Amino acid sequence: MTETRADFDEARGTLVVSGAWHADAASVLPALGDKTVRAINGAGVTQLDTNGAWLLLAAARPQASDSMPELQAFQPQHLAILELVSRHRAASAAQPERRRESVLAMTGRGAQVMAKHALGLLDFIGRLSIELLALLGKPGSWRWREFAAQVRSVFVGAIPIVSAMLFLLGVVFAYLLGDQAQQYGANIFVVDGLLLAIMREISPVIVAVLVAGRTGAAITAQLGTMKVTEEIDAITTLGLSPLAVLVIPRMLALLIAMPLLVFIGDIAGIAGGMLVAQQQLDISYSMFMDRMVDVILLKTLVVGLGKAPVFAMFIALIACRMGLSVTRDARSVGANTTSTVVQSLIAIIILNAIFAVTFVRLDI
C-alpha cells in the first residue's frame, strides 16, 4: 500500500501528494507558510474523499477566493471530487453584501407584518365563527371535559399569582398616594383614588397581562407542540374539528375565568391598600369600609369587569391562532409563543386606551 505523503517542490511550486487522502491525512501536510502553490500533482494518489480534497485545497489555497491551482495527473474520479469541493468552498466563503435598510423600508416591512397578522386573525375569526354556529345546533358535540380542565388550569392555577400581584400593587399605590395626600390633610381621599384605580384600570389590565404571559403562552406552546407531533392531524383524520376540540373550550374558559380573576384582583388590591391606610394614614378598617360603601359605584365595578371578557377574547384568539400556525419544528414553537405574548400585550394596551377614551366621551 502506498504511503500517504505530501512534498513541496519549491522550484516548480508544485505540491506532490501520494497515498490515501482522508481526514486523518492532515498530519502529513508540510508547513507552506506564505509559499505559493501553483500546482498539485496527484499521480500517486490511490484514494481520495471530500475530506482529503478539502485538506489539499486548503493547503494550496488557504482562502477560498484564491485562484485554483493546476491539478496534475489526478485520476478522473479524484479530479471530479476536487472540483466539486472547490466549488462548494467558494460558495460557502462568499459573503452577501450587507445593505443598510432605510427607515422607510423598515416601516414598510413592519406594516406588512402587521397587515399579515391582522388578515390572519380575521380569517381565523371567520372560521371559528362558522364552527361555533355549527356547534350551536349540536349541543352534544361540546367538549365539556376539556372545558372544565381548561377552567381549572386558567382560573384556579392563576389565583395565587393574581392575588399576590394585586395585593402588592394595592400596597404600593396606596403608599404613594397616601404620601402625597398627607401633605394636604386629605388622608381619607386615598380610599377614593385607590378604589377607582384598582377597580377601573389596574386590576383588569394587570390580570390581562398576567393571563397573556401565563395562559396565552401556554396555549400557543400546547397547540404548537401538538402540531409538531401531528396530534392535530390525527384529530382531523378522525373526522373531528381542531377548532371544536381544542380552540373553543380554551376560549370559553378564558371568557369565564378572566372576570372572576379581575374580581379577585379587586379584592386583593383593596386589601393591600386597606393595610397601608391603617398603618400609614391612621384610617381604621371600619372607617375604610364605610368610606368604600359611600364612594364605590356599581358602574366602577362593571367597567372593570366589562373589560375582562374583551381582553380574554383577544388573548384567546391570538394564542390559539399562533399555536395552530406553528410549522413542524421546535424553533417555530418558541417564536410563535413569544409572538403571542407580544401581540397580546399590544392588544391589551390598545384596547384599554380605546376603553378609556370611550368611557370619557360617554361620561361613564
Side-chain angles (χ1 to χ4, degrees):
M1 183 175 180
T2 306
E3 180 184 2
T4 302
R5 292 178 54 86
D7 301 302
F8 182 63
D9 185 346
E10 294 189 24
R12 295 183 298 171
T14 302
L15 182 64
V16 182
V17 294
S18 60
W21 280 85
H22 306 297
D24 54 358
S27 58
V28 304
L29 283 168
L32 299 175
D34 57 354
K35 298 175 182 177
T36 301
V37 179
R38 291 191 291 271
I40 304 177
N41 187 305
V45 174
T46 57
Q47 296 179 22
L48 179 71
D49 62 9
T50 53
N51 288 318
W54 187 89
L55 288 172
L56 292 175
L57 291 175
R61 43 190 293 230
Q63 303 296 328
S65 57
D66 296 342
S67 59
M68 180 75 171
E70 182 184 356
L71 302 176
Q72 300 175 348
F74 279 98
Q75 298 180 35
Q77 64 270 28
H78 297 162
L79 189 62
I81 293 174
L82 285 164
E83 291 175 349
L84 176 66
V85 172
S86 176
R87 286 198 302 271
H88 281 281
R89 283 188 77 226
S92 62
Q95 294 293 331
E97 182 182 354
R98 292 189 176 183
R99 296 174 55 190
R100 295 189 62 182
E101 196 172 36
S102 65
V103 175
L104 185 61
M106 293 175 62
T107 304
R109 182 175 299 179
Q112 283 183 329
V113 172
M114 291 180 64
K116 181 180 178 181
H117 282 303
L119 292 174
L121 190 60
L122 287 174
D123 174 70
F124 184 73
I125 292 172
R127 291 188 287 115
L128 189 61
S129 300
I130 295 173
E131 193 65 39
L132 275 171
L133 290 175
L135 283 176
L136 289 176
K138 298 183 293 182
S141 300
W142 290 83
R143 300 283 167 168
W144 298 111
R145 284 190 178 182
E146 179 68 11
F147 168 70
Q150 291 300 321
V151 169
R152 179 179 179 182
S153 173
V154 174
F155 175 60
V156 179
I159 289 176
I161 187 172
V162 167
S163 301
M165 182 67 72
L166 267 299
F167 180 85
L168 293 175
L169 286 173
V171 169
V172 171
F173 192 81
Y175 179 82
L176 295 175
L177 190 61
D179 189 48
Q180 298 298 317
Q182 277 183 315
Q183 300 178 23
Y184 303 98
N187 294 8
I188 194 63
F189 293 108
V190 171
V191 180
D192 303 47
L194 179 69
L195 291 174
L196 288 173
I198 291 291
M199 300 180 73
R200 287 183 66 108
E201 297 294 333
I202 295 179
S203 183
V205 173
I206 295 300
V207 169
V209 169
L210 291 174
V211 169
R214 180 183 179 273
T215 306
I219 288 174
T220 300
Q222 290 168 3
L223 297 182
T225 303
M226 294 178 72
K227 185 81 173 289
V228 172
T229 56
E230 300 183 352
E231 293 178 61
I232 293 179
D233 292 341
I235 291 173
T236 305
T237 303
L238 292 173
L240 302 174
S241 169
L243 296 179
V245 176
L246 301 174
V247 175
I248 292 176
R250 286 167 168 80
M251 182 172 294
L252 292 178
L254 272 172
L255 286 172
I256 291 176
M258 276 282 286
L260 297 175
L261 289 173
V262 170
F263 183 73
I264 292 173
D266 290 342
I267 297 173
I270 292 171
M274 187 184 299
L275 178 65
V276 172
Q278 197 273 336
Q279 296 292 329
Q280 181 190 5
L281 305 174
D282 295 326
I283 300 176
S284 65
Y285 297 140
S286 59
M287 187 184 303
F288 190 100
M289 295 298 295
D290 290 339
R291 182 66 181 176
M292 185 171 69
V293 172
D294 293 337
V295 171
I296 194 171
L297 298 175
L298 179 61
K299 72 175 184 179
T300 304
L301 179 63
V302 172
V303 164
L305 295 179
K307 293 179 180 180
V310 180
F311 292 158
M313 182 178 65
F314 275 85
I315 293 171
L317 286 172
I318 292 170
C320 293
R321 176 185 167 268
M322 295 307 295
L324 295 177
S325 301
V326 167
T327 55
R328 300 185 186 279
D329 61 88
R331 183 178 181 180
S332 178
V333 175
N336 282 28
T337 301
T338 303
S339 181
T340 292
V341 177
V342 174
Q343 290 183 56
S344 298
L345 294 181
I346 293 173
I348 290 166
I349 294 170
I350 294 174
L351 289 170
N352 194 58
I354 294 173
F355 278 128
V357 174
T358 303
F359 291 151
V360 169
R361 293 288 182 90
L362 297 177
D363 195 24
I364 297 177

